[in-house]
Amino acid sequence: QVCAQLCRRPCYCPWVPPRCPRGSPLVLDGCGCCKVCARRLGEPCDFLHVCDQSQGLVCDYSSASAGTGGTCNFEDDEEGCEVNGRVYRDGEVFQPSCKIQCHCLDGGFNCIPLCQEDVRLPTPDCPHPRHVEIPGKCCPEWVCAAPDQHLLRDARAVSPLLRQPCQEWGTEWSACSATCGLGFATRVSNQNRYCRLESQRRLCMLRPCPVLPAAFPAVS
């Protein structure tokens, strides 16, 4: 009955199909007639404007008033999260870029860096460290700019290079940056192969974050 009311035969479609936003594929409308942009998670939908079924989305009318459209949601109220126009399943681990890794959880997502974010302080053997992008590599690396020979000689006169085992030194790890879920703790330490002071960080988790009640879904 709905199909007979809304669908015209024969089909009359634009010559040029619409240009869809990133992550929204071209699909046939509810009449199976013209190509339209599939609606994404949280976007309005109705009989003609269908949701992206490849992402497991359906048009949810549960919270819509009579005669109005619905909202694209996961079938059976399954939680998920959308990043850069792409929908990820609850529990899925993904990488939006080579530098970070994310975990979709309860409608939101947590991300951790995959590149080391230490701070390299100047030392006699490397008085001018620079953090640079290396062609063909994802993470930037520390390189030593060509030092001035006089500066290097003066630095060695004040603080000669160690030729004996390094005396370890470091501050205590800081408090975790997050009260729940993944966070970071930082410290300054010379416990590395060059015995130089560096700012270091590590992952920490005090406790898992509580699951939000169904009445208040998490916002991605």
Side-chain angles (χ1 to χ4, degrees):
Q1 184 178 359
V2 174
C3 183
Q5 292 176 351
L6 298 179
C7 301
R8 296 183 300 173
R9 292 290 187 268
C11 294
Y12 294 98
C13 305
W15 284 100
V16 180
R19 295 185 63 181
C20 301
R22 185 177 180 181
S24 179
L26 272 174
V27 296
L28 289 177
D29 61 20
C31 296
C33 185
C34 300
K35 288 188 174 182
V36 296
C37 297
R39 298 297 172 90
R40 297 175 295 180
L41 180 66
E43 293 183 339
C45 57
D46 52 33
F47 178 76
L48 289 176
H49 303 90
V50 297
C51 302
D52 187 358
Q53 295 183 356
S54 67
Q55 298 290 338
L57 301 177
V58 295
C59 198
D60 182 7
Y61 294 91
S62 60
S63 59
S65 56
T68 62
T71 303
C72 289
N73 203 350
F74 286 105
E75 194 171 6
D76 297 329
D77 294 330
E78 182 181 350
E79 292 286 356
C81 51
E82 182 180 5
V83 181
N84 294 333
R86 181 175 176 182
V87 178
Y88 298 92
R89 300 274 185 174
D90 185 63
E92 186 175 354
V93 176
F94 59 97
Q95 287 185 228
S97 76
C98 62
K99 295 182 180 181
I100 59 173
Q101 178 176 289
C102 302
H103 182 203
C104 179
L105 185 64
D106 297 330
F109 58 93
N110 294 321
C111 298
I112 58 173
L114 298 179
C115 296
Q116 191 174 4
E117 296 184 354
D118 60 324
V119 176
R120 181 168 181 171
L121 303 177
T123 56
D125 61 321
C126 187
H128 302 288
R130 292 190 302 118
H131 215 202
V132 299
E133 299 284 346
I134 306 296
K137 293 187 177 182
C138 175
C139 299
E141 296 183 2
W142 286 104
V143 297
C144 293
D148 181 86
Q149 295 300 320
H150 296 290
L151 178 63
L152 182 58
R153 185 178 62 249
D154 295 342
R156 284 177 173 169
V158 175
S159 178
L161 294 176
L162 295 177
R163 292 186 176 87
Q164 57 187 4
C166 175
Q167 183 176 358
E168 294 185 353
W169 181 91
T171 64
E172 296 293 332
W173 287 103
S174 68
C176 194
S177 62
T179 57
C180 71
L182 286 175
F184 296 100
T186 59
R187 72 172 182 178
V188 175
S189 172
N190 68 348
Q191 297 177 31
N192 53 66
R193 59 181 299 185
Y194 299 108
C195 193
R196 65 166 59 94
L197 289 176
E198 292 180 339
S199 176
Q200 302 171 343
R201 62 165 49 185
R202 68 180 181 183
L203 293 175
C204 56
M205 185 172 70
L206 298 179
R207 60 185 177 86
C209 290
V211 178
L212 296 176
F216 301 92
V219 178
S220 61

